[in-house]
């Protein structure tokens, strides 16, 4: 597994990119709930009417975001994932979706990034929750450069976008296109593996020699049905492995819909539903969920019979 080896994390890149975007686009605003507020001090001084810190009030964070969107601004709301999606979910549903406005939600920490923070700072169910609402685009970058590209794309659009940032990262950025899966390697007879965001490096290490095709998803919603079907087009059997850095099985319904006209099998790997009541390190949590390269190889090889 690769993790951040430089001082710049995805959250750092988000702060610098969003600050630059505030200078470039008068339509943009940033709404904070104390988290990362120190990083936006210069931006707040330059744009006091478009950088708003509501304090530790996550429901208000989303309510204010919806209010700014109703005035015609393009707000970017940011805090940890558990406080951005899970805690204020009713406001996400009503103040954004029900009002029919657009906004960008940018999270940090993800499923297991900071185990010392405890369960309150883990959000493996965030994407699954957003799947209960219509119209959301979900980006899951695997590298800081991808995070900037996807953030800029989200800021320039008009809809509802979730950008899921993490400390886990791949060693190198990939030439991603928002909304499309990228074919990283092609096999002939093995499974098609959809690797989401920062799990790509571990997936590639895991499937080496297994004749697998790997599709890289830095955008997971909308689900790229065309790419998946193309990868399976010439195969007698349709075996799909999902590897997601959040709740296992989150994207299974989308695979089923994409392949509704042909028999297929799906093996969904991700964060287990059972809560890990331990602190430890991010790497230990990844291994405990079976998402490290060694565990992935054993699980995929056994399932695919290779």
């Amino acid at each position: 597994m690769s993790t951040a080896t430089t001082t710049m994390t995805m959250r750092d890149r988000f702060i610098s990119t969003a600050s630059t975007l505030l200078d470039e686009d008068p339509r943009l605003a940033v709404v904070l709930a104390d988290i990362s507020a120190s990083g936006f001090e210069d931006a707040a001084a330059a744009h006091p009417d478009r950088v708003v810190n509501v304090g530790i009030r996550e429901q208000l964070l989303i309510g204010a975001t919806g209010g700014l969107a109703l005035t015609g601004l393009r707000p970017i709301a940011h805090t940890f994932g558990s406080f951005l999606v899970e805690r204020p979910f009713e406001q996400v549903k009503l103040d954004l979706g029900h009002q029919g406005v657009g906004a960008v939600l940018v999270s940090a920490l993800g499923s297991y990034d900071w185990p010392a923070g405890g369960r309150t700072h883990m959000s493996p169910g965030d994407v699954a929750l957003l799947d209960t609402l219509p119209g959301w685009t979900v980006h899951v970058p695997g590298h800081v450069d991808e995070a900037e590209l996807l953030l800029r794309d989200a800021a320039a659009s008009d809809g509802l976008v979730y950008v899921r940032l993490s400390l886990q990262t791949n060693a190198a950025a990939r030439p991603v296109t928002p909304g499309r899966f990228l074919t990283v390697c092609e096999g002939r007879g093995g499974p098609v593996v959809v690797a989401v965001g920062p799990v790509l490096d571990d997936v590639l290490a895991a499937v080496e020699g297994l004749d697998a095709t790997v599709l890289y998803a830095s955008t997971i919603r909308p689900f790229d049905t065309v790419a998946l079907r193309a990868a399976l087009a010439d195969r007698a059997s349709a075996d799909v492995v999902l590897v997601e850095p959040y709740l296992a099985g989150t994207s299974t319904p989308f695979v089923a819909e994409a392949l509704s006209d042909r028999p297929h099998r799906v093996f969904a790997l991700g964060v287990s539903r059972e809560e890990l009541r331990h602190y430890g390190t991010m790497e230990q949590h990844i291994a405990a969920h079976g998402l490290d390269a060694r565990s992935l190889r054993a699980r995929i090889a056994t399932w695919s019979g290779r």
Side-chain angles (χ1 to χ4, degrees), residues 183-193 207 209-214 228-239 262 304 306:
T183 302
V184 178
C185 65
E186 293 187 74
R188 292 181 177 271
V192 171
V193 184
V207 302
L210 295 184
D211 192 29
T213 293
V214 177
L228 180 62
R229 290 183 64 88
L232 292 165
D234 298 326
R235 297 168 187 254
S237 60
D239 286 353
R262 62 179 297 185
S304 62
R306 294 177 180 271

Side-chain angles (χ1 to χ4, degrees), residues 4 20 32 46 57 68 76 135 137 157 190 209 215 221 253 285 298-299 302:
T20 299
L32 307 167
R57 300 175 181 88
L68 289 171
I76 301 172
T137 293
S157 67
L215 302 179
R221 301 290 182 273
H285 277 248
R299 298 169 80 184
T302 298

Side-chain angles (χ1 to χ4, degrees), residues 10-172:
M10 290 190 199
R11 179 152 59 125
D12 294 331
R13 182 65 68 86
F14 157 67
I15 292 170
S16 63
T17 301
S19 297
T20 299
L21 290 172
L22 285 166
D23 294 334
E24 297 173 350
D25 188 348
R27 185 180 70 138
L28 294 181
V30 171
V31 190
L32 307 167
D34 268 3
I35 301 303
S36 301
S38 61
F40 282 98
E41 286 180 351
D42 291 343
H47 308 286
D49 56 335
R50 291 191 287 125
V51 178
V52 181
N53 182 8
V54 302
I56 307 175
R57 300 175 181 88
E58 286 80 12
Q59 288 87 348
L60 178 58
L61 170 73
I62 301 302
T65 297
L68 289 171
L70 285 170
T71 72
L73 291 174
R74 178 67 168 163
I76 301 172
H78 166 68
T79 185
F80 297 151
S82 55
F83 305 149
L84 185 63
V85 176
E86 293 182 337
R87 182 173 292 175
F89 183 69
E90 184 177 15
Q91 282 68 39
V92 172
K93 178 179 71 174
L94 299 178
D95 297 352
L96 298 179
H98 180 66
Q99 293 294 334
V101 297
V104 182
L105 306 186
V106 180
S107 69
L109 292 190
S111 301
Y112 38 60
D113 290 24
W114 190 40
R119 189 68 174 93
T120 57
H121 289 70
M122 299 178 181
S123 186
D126 52 353
V127 177
L129 265 179
L130 289 179
D131 279 345
T132 67
L133 304 175
W136 279 88
T137 293
V138 178
H139 297 311
V140 189
H143 187 273
V144 293
D145 292 345
E146 296 169 12
E148 176 170 347
L149 183 151
L150 295 169
L151 175 63
R152 286 183 173 274
D153 182 80
S157 67
D158 295 313
L160 291 167
V161 184
Y162 181 44
V163 183
R164 191 183 201 267
L165 307 182
S166 64
L167 287 174
Q168 184 184 12
T169 180
N170 300 314

